[in-house]
Amino acid sequence: MSRPQQGLDCIGVEQLQRVGPRIAARLAKLGIRTVQDLLFHVPHRYQDRTRRRALSELAPGEEVLIEGEIERVEGALGRRPSLKVWLRDSSGGGLLLRFFHYGRAQREAFQPGVRLRCYGEVRQGPASLEMVHPEYRVLMDGLAPLEQRLTPIYPSTEGLQQSSWRALTDQALTMLAASPLHEGLPAEILRPLGLPSLRDALVYLHRPPLDAVLVDLSEGRHPAFQRLAFEELVAHQLSLRRLRLAQQCVVAPVLAGTGALQQRLRAALPFRLTAAQERVVAEIATDLGRTRPMQRLLQGDVGAGKTLVAALAALQAIESGAQVALMAPTELLSEQHRRGFEMWLTPLGVEPLWLVGRHKGRERAALLEAVASGRGRLVMGTHALFQDDVVFASLGLVIIDEQHRFGVHQRLRLRAKGSGANSAPHQLIMTATPIPRSLAMTLYADLDLSVIDELPPGRTPIVTAAVPDTRRDEVITRVRRACEGGRQAYWVCTLIEESEVLECQAAEETARQLAEQLPEVRLGLVHGRIKGPEREAVMGAFAAGELDLLVATTVIEVGVDVPNASLMIIENPERLGLAQLHQLRGRVGRGSVQSHCVLLFHPPLSPAARARLGIIRSAESGFEIAERDLEMRGAGEVLGTRQTGAIQFRVADPVRDQALVAAAQQAADLIIEQHPDRVAPLVQRWLGRREHFISV
Ligand code: ADP
Ligand code: MG
């Protein structure tokens, strides 16, 4: 009896032997529902049980297969059972096996003279090399065949043994040999890259041959692995292109502008735009004049002057009769925008509105009415702008600052605000998180990219020093001198154990101590639990020069702009990542005087922390720091994907596989043009249900 010819993507795992409802549910937890899903669940490492190793040549840390004869057994049953078994082999070497859980039968099987075959990790014990709880079998008459293949180890979940994975993938591989798996990528793409076919790659990864180089395999560098990573990158590109194409079918209001307001703002500025600012302003101006919604990512290091670019874009939209929404991730940053925009726009007769979570009741109702009537031309705020009751009369441009704090879905949700059935507002997304270009192309393939790659003139690089906290008093003296000299300083207390409450307490305590030690210094405190008007008052006073020293938690990370502040102390900088340190440090160095940053660390430093502080001291540009950061950590961590819900990859790693990214983009172009029928199956295979999530 033969089954009708069916693709493996349509055969559910419950059709495999040994898969009942319980196993099926466990597999589903890992996103595995079909035989195809199972084939794409590839091992993350391999064991070599094909060779026996002599006991005399073992080293700690290795996972090995060994055989030996029991020389001696020692141990007791009882409340804390412990069994020691000494093995010896013909090489003259010995090994101690330790068991902590064992039964009577097991113990009785371990008799001097019995031969054992064991697999496990070799460790250095107090007296000799040891294996703790190895997998073992008793060799009855000596001649048991060795494995003929490397043993795959699968990422697993509770209740699924490696032996089950092997049994399941055995069946899946048999089915793969008999029935076709859709070959996602055309041969003309694969051939020049020297990558194997999908079937060959899968067979190799699940059941590598004896001569496979294990390190290449488990680190993802082998062509078989790269084949899958490449296909995933292509699928990801296709998905984002599809998103983009869908946007292209939507109309946006043409916001060509008149130049009237923009000219007046430019004339009022005490400085000229940098060439880089001019370039991106022009790129945005062109986009806004089109009938298709702009989807542009504006990258620029801290202090590069993104806010002004945003203001000019906003004015172009307002000149054209549209409303503008400007969203920031925190209230503090949003306040900062408000101050900047009020200073620039109020003289032009544009009165910005401000809408954040704390606006309630009548105040909120009045704001909403102004937005709905279209009287409010520019509305600034936080997540509060997302809410359903916020209705715009004619939203034409959405600007999002510090995009990395928001997820893809949030970005799309705000866009949906101004959308009719067939229309959507323009979108400008700004970020100071420098994302290396290759990574940006992977993660934001649905966006155009503008980069401000130049800082305004007259900025002097910040001098950064690392000082152990045993020299805290010297640092305090330094703060006193700076303040006496008429300058201002930040003292940043960093996160303790992920607890905002503790962090705030630490900041309060530090502020109290510093106030004692620096009685002549005017000191202010801001942290996450000081809210609203109180915080605004402190920030305002610091910005106005009425406070000399601002003690703060990392809430000041983004946006705060006080040019006279030229000294920053960061306590326990070893707790922070490079990107965050760079963002914090960017709060100083905004004026013309030489700025300093002191990293007041708590010794001893771990090697990784030492390396991070070294990089932050020597590197100035955010892009350089981001590249180094990428080398030290994964892409996910750099972008904070876990918090933001940005894209997760199954096999690919955009950092490790950077070399494949450009090829994946070309492949996506070619597939869309010449093999449009392959797009949907590829996206379905790799993103499946997740694409639905991304395109909400
Ligand atoms: P970021 O890109 O980090 O958001 P900001 O927009 O806050 O940077 O700009 C930092 C500071 O630089 C602000 O005080 C801003 O007024 C100033 N600035 C912006 N553009 C220029 C320029 N072309 N020349 C001089 N100063 C500028
Ligand atoms: Mg900014």
Side-chain angles (χ1 to χ4, degrees):
M1 214 176 63
S2 75
R3 215 180 267 148
Q5 191 74 351
Q6 226 182 356
L8 297 183
D9 53 333
C10 300
I11 303 179
V13 281
E14 52 300 330
Q15 306 213 22
L16 298 174
Q17 281 167 27
R18 292 174 51 176
V19 180
R22 285 218 342 258
I23 301 273
R26 284 174 193 157
L27 290 171
K29 251 175 54 188
L30 295 168
I32 299 171
R33 292 181 175 78
T34 67
V35 173
Q36 173 177 287
D37 292 338
L38 186 59
L39 286 168
F40 280 86
H41 187 76
V42 294
H44 60 151
R45 62 193 187 90
Y46 302 86
Q47 293 174 343
D48 186 352
R49 298 169 184 243
T50 66
R51 292 177 301 145
R52 246 191 322 262
R53 299 280 302 276
L55 295 187
S56 61
E57 59 166 41
L58 301 181
E62 291 181 304
E63 275 194 9
V64 291
L65 184 81
I66 52 112
E67 270 179 33
E69 192 166 296
I70 297 181
E71 196 179 44
R72 193 154 63 89
V73 182
E74 196 182 275
L77 292 167
R79 284 211 310 142
R80 299 188 59 194
S82 149
L83 183 63
K84 298 185 207 168
V85 178
W86 279 268
L87 289 188
R88 202 147 276 294
D89 72 358
S90 56
S91 71
L95 184 70
L96 170 61
L97 312 180
R98 281 182 193 271
F99 297 87
F100 300 105
H101 320 278
Y102 58 98
R104 188 173 297 275
Q106 201 175 2
R107 192 193 154 172
E108 278 162 8
F110 292 148
Q111 296 296 335
V114 167
R115 284 186 68 74
L116 295 181
R117 177 179 291 170
C118 307
Y119 186 89
E121 188 189 335
V122 180
R123 296 194 201 164
Q124 184 63 59
S128 64
L129 292 179
E130 304 181 348
M131 256 187 204
V132 178
H133 275 280
E135 291 175 44
Y136 73 91
R137 62 189 275 202
V138 176
L139 296 177
M140 293 316 250
D141 35 18
L143 280 179
L146 291 171
E147 300 271 346
Q148 291 305 303
R149 291 184 163 274
L150 297 172
T151 309
I153 304 295
Y154 291 88
S156 192
T157 179
E158 211 177 306
L160 273 172
Q161 307 287 336
Q162 289 300 325
S163 57
S164 309
W165 282 107
R166 272 170 241 149
L168 292 175
T169 47
D170 270 340
Q171 297 177 62
L173 289 166
T174 307
M175 293 169 87
L176 177 66
S179 89
L181 186 61
H182 180 80
E183 176 66 68
L185 303 175
E188 70 257 39
I189 290 176
L190 289 176
R191 219 177 299 115
L193 293 167
L195 293 174
S197 76
L198 183 58
R199 182 181 294 188
D200 290 351
L202 287 171
V203 170
Y204 195 100
L205 290 173
H206 285 284
R207 300 292 179 267
L210 278 179
D211 59 357
V213 181
L214 282 190
V215 190
D216 281 1
L217 263 185
S218 39
E219 291 182 2
R221 292 191 301 253
H222 190 277
F225 202 89
Q226 293 273 294
R227 166 65 176 77
L228 296 195
F230 180 68
E231 192 180 299
E232 182 171 29
L233 290 170
V234 172
H236 181 72
Q237 289 289 328
L238 288 171
S239 155
L240 289 172
R241 302 276 168 105
R242 242 173 28 173
L243 206 62
R244 197 183 168 106
L245 279 176
Q247 289 155 17
Q248 300 302 303
C249 306
V250 166
V251 289
V254 173
L255 307 176
T258 60
L261 294 171
Q262 291 185 64
Q263 287 314 327
R264 284 172 58 198
L265 174 58
R266 281 169 178 272
L269 289 174
F271 49 73
R272 296 166 59 116
L273 270 66
T274 62
Q277 282 172 315
E278 290 289 5
R279 189 183 65 240
V280 304
V281 165
E283 285 165 357
I284 293 166
T286 311
D287 283 358
L288 290 179
R290 295 211 172 108
T291 54
R292 300 284 167 245
M294 168 170 76
Q295 288 292 310
R296 191 169 280 281
L297 180 68
L298 172 59
Q299 272 190 274
D301 211 342
V302 274
K306 294 183 292 295
T307 321
L308 181 58
V309 171
L312 287 167
L315 287 179
Q316 178 170 338
I318 291 167
E319 284 167 7
S320 315
Q323 284 175 299
V324 177
L326 171 62
M327 191 173 70
T330 65
E331 250 182 67
L332 190 69
L333 184 54
S334 182
E335 277 170 40
Q336 176 98 28
H337 280 151
R338 183 177 65 145
R339 267 199 294 277
F341 275 76
E342 272 174 357
M343 178 180 78
W344 284 333
L345 304 196
T346 313
L348 312 180
V350 178
E351 204 65 58
L353 297 183
W354 194 50
L355 181 63
V356 293
R358 83 165 90 116
H359 293 135
K360 299 254 151 61
R362 248 197 246 150
E363 196 182 4
R364 182 176 166 87
L367 282 166
L368 293 188
E369 196 280 321
V371 177
S373 71
R375 268 185 295 114
R377 315 303 305 161
L378 173 62
V379 189
M380 293 184 276
T382 53
H383 297 81
L385 293 182
F386 281 138
Q387 268 139 42
D388 286 340
D389 57 351
V390 184
V391 180
F392 288 83
S394 57
L395 182 61
L397 171 63
V398 172
I399 303 173
I400 303 178
D401 200 7
E402 299 303 338
Q403 127 85 18
H404 67 288
R405 300 290 184 95
F406 297 101
V408 180
H409 48 297
Q410 284 173 310
R411 151 156 78 83
L412 294 164
R413 203 159 116 204
L414 189 62
R415 188 174 69 212
K417 275 255 166 249
S419 306
N422 272 317
S423 65
H426 297 280
Q427 242 188 46
L428 178 66
I429 294 138
M430 307 198 286
T431 179
T433 303
I435 308 164
R437 199 168 185 99
S438 66
L439 195 52
M441 290 192 311
T442 316
L443 297 175
Y444 301 115
D446 61 328
L447 304 177
D448 293 307
L449 190 59
S450 287
V451 182
I452 308 184
D453 51 7
E454 155 186 33
L455 291 181
R459 302 261 168 92
T460 37
I462 302 159
V463 176
T464 302
V467 176
D469 58 14
T470 45
R471 287 166 55 197
R472 192 184 176 92
D473 287 346
E474 288 170 43
V475 174
I476 291 175
T477 305
R478 209 161 150 178
V479 171
R480 178 183 296 122
R481 287 223 198 89
C483 296
E484 279 169 5
R487 281 188 293 283
Q488 291 165 283
Y490 297 99
W491 189 292
V492 183
C493 307
T494 54
L495 191 80
I496 298 167
E497 291 169 7
E498 302 288 314
S499 155
E500 200 197 8
V501 177
L502 286 180
E503 189 185 43
C504 297
Q505 282 172 359
E508 278 166 13
E509 179 57 22
T510 304
R512 201 186 52 71
Q513 284 175 9
L514 287 173
E516 254 171 43
Q517 287 168 292
L518 298 167
E520 68 286 8
V521 163
R522 296 167 299 168
L523 182 148
L525 171 67
V526 286
H527 59 57
R529 295 205 300 166
I530 296 179
K531 303 255 185 233
E534 194 184 342
R535 180 149 93 187
E536 208 177 330
V538 175
M539 291 304 304
F542 188 67
E546 293 154 15
L547 292 173
D548 307 306
L549 177 63
L550 187 66
V551 178
T553 55
T554 50
V555 295
I556 62 153
E557 182 192 339
V558 276
V560 184
D561 188 22
V562 182
N564 188 46
S566 61
L567 175 62
M568 171 170 284
I569 318 298
I570 305 178
E571 272 201 87
N572 302 113
E574 68 273 12
R575 291 184 184 140
L576 302 180
L578 278 176
Q580 209 179 2
L581 282 170
H582 177 66
Q583 296 260 337
L584 273 174
R585 181 175 62 174
R587 300 304 111 216
V588 294
R590 301 193 150 226
S592 48
V593 294
Q594 174 68 61
S595 287
H596 295 266
C597 176
V598 177
L599 306 171
L600 190 58
F601 67 88
H602 185 65
L605 289 176
S606 72
R610 183 178 300 277
R612 277 203 303 277
L613 298 191
I615 291 170
I616 205 82
R617 287 183 55 201
S618 62
E620 272 167 37
S621 107
F623 283 89
E624 189 184 340
I625 288 170
E627 298 278 359
R628 305 288 299 273
D629 209 7
L630 270 183
E631 289 162 15
M632 291 185 55
R633 314 187 293 160
E637 284 189 77
V638 173
L639 299 169
T641 40
R642 240 144 289 145
Q643 297 93 300
T644 60
I647 295 95
Q648 303 264 353
F649 292 90
R650 274 154 69 177
V651 177
D653 173 339
V655 178
R656 181 195 63 210
D657 304 328
Q658 272 184 42
L660 294 175
V661 168
Q665 290 190 304
Q666 286 166 13
D669 286 338
L670 191 133
I671 290 172
I672 288 173
E673 267 172 40
Q674 295 178 21
H675 306 275
D677 53 318
R678 298 198 188 218
V679 175
L682 269 172
V683 172
Q684 173 62 31
R685 170 182 291 168
W686 286 99
L687 289 105
R689 287 155 202 87
R690 289 184 305 161
E691 189 187 40
H692 168 69
F693 157 73
I694 289 172
S695 61
V696 177

Coordinates of all heavy atoms in Angstrom, one line a residue, residues 16 27 239 392 465 512 581 654:
L16 N 4.7 9.5 12.3 CA 5.9 8.7 12.5 C 5.6 7.7 13.6 O 4.8 7.9 14.5 CB 7.0 9.7 12.9 CG 7.4 10.7 11.9 CD1 8.5 11.6 12.5 CD2 8.0 10.1 10.6
L27 N 7.2 18.0 20.8 CA 7.8 18.5 19.6 C 7.2 19.8 19.2 O 7.9 20.7 18.8 CB 7.6 17.5 18.5 CG 8.4 16.2 18.6 CD1 8.0 15.2 17.5 CD2 9.9 16.4 18.4
S239 N 10.8 37.6 2.9 CA 9.7 38.0 3.8 C 9.6 39.5 3.9 O 8.6 40.1 3.8 CB 9.8 37.3 5.1 OG 9.2 38.0 6.1
F392 N -6.1 60.5 14.8 CA -5.5 61.7 14.1 C -6.5 62.1 13.0 O -7.1 61.3 12.3 CB -4.2 61.4 13.5 CG -3.1 61.2 14.5 CD1 -2.9 60.0 15.2 CD2 -2.2 62.3 14.8 CE1 -1.9 59.9 16.1 CE2 -1.2 62.1 15.7 CZ -1.0 60.9 16.4
A465 N 38.9 57.4 31.2 CA 39.9 56.7 32.0 C 39.1 55.7 32.8 O 38.0 55.9 33.2 CB 40.5 57.7 32.9
R512 N 23.2 60.8 48.8 CA 23.3 61.3 50.1 C 24.8 61.4 50.5 O 25.2 62.4 51.1 CB 22.6 60.2 51.0 CG 22.2 60.8 52.4 CD 21.6 59.6 53.3 NE 22.5 58.5 53.4 CZ 23.7 58.5 54.0 NH1 24.1 59.5 54.6 NH2 24.4 57.4 54.0
L581 N 27.4 51.8 27.5 CA 28.4 52.7 27.9 C 28.6 53.8 26.9 O 28.8 55.0 27.3 CB 29.7 51.9 28.1 CG 29.9 51.0 29.4 CD1 31.1 50.1 29.3 CD2 29.9 51.9 30.6
P654 N 23.6 36.3 11.8 CA 24.0 37.3 10.9 C 25.4 37.8 11.1 O 26.0 38.5 10.3 CB 23.0 38.5 11.1 CG 22.0 38.0 12.1 CD 22.3 36.6 12.5

